[in-house]
Amino acid sequence: MSAIVLAQEAATGVTNAGLAAIGYGLAAIGPGIGVGLIFSSVISGTARQPEARGVLLSLAWTTFAIVEVLALLGFVVYFLATAA
């Protein structure tokens, strides 16, 4: 069986909303750490080379959006798990 099929079978077996909420809370830790690392790197890079501020910020906002999509995806999976 593929990993996607196994994940779908596992997600349909979750009937406890509290368990799904704990799972989403744990899944939100990763994007939170990622956002912190992104902007700490921008601050560090700007301190070292101030003229690169514009390039660093545009790259930071792009990667911020990608990381936040992961958090939103976890939120959607949470609602799918509680609706079943």
Side-chain angles (χ1 to χ4, degrees):
M1 288 188 152
S2 71
I4 295 174
V5 173
L6 291 174
Q8 287 174 343
E9 289 177 1
T12 56
V14 176
T15 56
N16 187 357
L19 184 62
I22 291 171
Y24 172 67
L26 291 174
I29 292 172
I33 292 171
V35 168
L37 289 174
I38 289 167
F39 286 105
S40 71
S41 297
V42 169
I43 291 169
S44 177
T46 303
R48 291 178 185 205
Q49 195 170 9
E51 63 272 7
R53 180 179 177 265
V55 174
L56 290 174
L57 274 177
S58 65
L59 185 61
W61 285 113
T62 304
T63 54
F64 169 76
I66 293 169
V67 168
E68 282 300 313
V69 165
L70 295 175
L72 292 173
L73 184 64
F75 198 56
V76 169
V77 170
Y78 163 73
F79 278 117
L80 290 176
T82 57

